[in-house]
Amino acid sequence: MAVSLRDTRGRESVQCACTEVRVNAIPEKQLDFSASNRLRVRAHTLIPGGAHTYAKGDDQYPVLSPGFIARGSGCHVWDVDGNAFIEYGMGNRAVGLGHAHPAVLDAVREALAGGCNFTRPAAIEVRAAEQFLLLVPGAEMVKFCKDGSDATSAAMRLARAYTGRDLIAICADHPFFSTDDWFIGTTPVNSGVPDAVKALTLTFRYGDLASVRALFDAHPGRIAALILEATRGADPAPDYLPALKDICHSNGALLVLDEMITGFRWAAGGAQERFGIDPDLSCFGKALANGFSVSALAGKREIMRLGGLDHQDRPRVFLLSTTHGAETHALAAAIANMRIYETEPVIAHLWRQGAKLKAGAEAAIAAHGLNDHVQIVGQDCCLAYATLDADKKPSQAFRSLFLQETIRRGVLMPSLVVSYAHTDADIERTVAAIDGALRIYRRGLEDGVERHLVGRPSQVVYRAWNGPPPA
């Protein structure tokens, strides 16, 4: 049981059996977001949604929040109004080392000095492929592109070509695989996706091998591939991923792992390294280049070669062909990033700091008696949180309140994903901000969240309408 004590200097110390985290109270600030608010108006007249990534949109944050970031350094960011924050989420998990990491920036500057894009390939493309395949030893070939959706969509096309089948199956428990029709057609935001395309994607449940067997029984000889994340929360059962691969292969299908989140976070070589699973194809991105735009489709030579120029036994696959897919500065960032993961304890740091953050946050939650209403979820290296209302049901309003109050205390935390730049002092300050926000959360449960939340609550991304559908 957690207890709350005060030491002789008046500091509150939240204690639990596993750790002790000192909480120096951080008062809420009346932050000025006037520059952000002016930019918001302009952005929404020029950009659908006001941002180029839905997860970064205004509807995902409370009204009292920084609308635009001006710069970042390590795990700290400053908005256009000059407000400073400790950041979590790190560019939707794309920045593993920290913002503006010096070694990565040095590599980028050196590459840019010689030009970034040419009519023929650059030698750095070979070096980047060699470096990547050193870290992901199960893969035999790799092709780089710019975003995760390109990589996963190419994997589906390749699987269909290799197997000669048209159906694919996605894990229904994992929230995002691509912006393309084969996935978006399965979400509530499926306007514009033809019904014929929607019908080509099936779903299965994570950890449920029976649901996978049922799919193959219901669609014999038609499923080309299964795609899933190796894990999002708890580790899979020891036999789950190998059994899943066996079921796929016994039915003539491929196993594809989406390593966008797990790659360079669970281990340098991704979840496949951590769990000892050897997929047919895998897709990496996000933290591959510490925020620079590089993603990758990797896999077995027998499958990947179909996108090449030498084979004559099968039709060619137009696999990936992007004008900007191998920009020299981005690949230089990726190489520098991967070498740091090879030579420094990045992964160990992510797990260690995440564990400290989780322990401190859970101690604060227990001290406020909010275990039934605020929960820390996920692996230590990739934490998130759940916010529940008085009826213990998920609540966007309480999520917004929690975000609002941590922002007021100098922490921007749409998730609790740490980076290599998060220090013990950053963790301690974050726990203090969480502690202060929980006091307001408690009041919201007692007298109504609307009394404490400024403006409307945030909303889920996957919604069919921005408001009630027309009558």
Side-chain angles (χ1 to χ4, degrees), residues 74-75 90 94-99 101 104 287 290 336-338 340-341 346 350 419-422:
C75 66
M90 303 304 293
V95 180
L97 300 179
H99 300 295
H101 191 282
V104 175
N290 200 49
N337 181 68
M338 288 187 281
I340 291 168
Y341 274 79
V346 180
L350 300 183
S419 75
Y420 195 38
H422 282 88

Side-chain angles (χ1 to χ4, degrees), residues 342-364:
E342 270 192 316
T343 59
E344 298 185 29
V346 180
I347 297 297
H349 182 91
L350 300 183
W351 284 90
R352 182 175 60 252
Q353 297 304 87
K356 290 178 182 177
L357 178 57
K358 181 180 181 180
E362 287 185 337

Side-chain angles (χ1 to χ4, degrees), residues 191-207:
S191 179
V193 180
D195 289 340
V197 175
K198 297 176 188 176
L200 295 175
T201 303
L202 312 172
T203 60
F204 63 95
R205 309 303 306 199
Y206 185 81

Side-chain angles (χ1 to χ4, degrees), residues 258-283:
D258 180 338
E259 295 261 28
M260 297 299 162
I261 291 175
T262 50
F264 300 94
R265 189 158 287 278
W266 266 246
Q272 58 193 276
E273 176 188 334
R274 183 171 177 83
F275 301 126
I277 184 70
D278 188 17
D280 298 300
L281 299 171
S282 56
C283 304

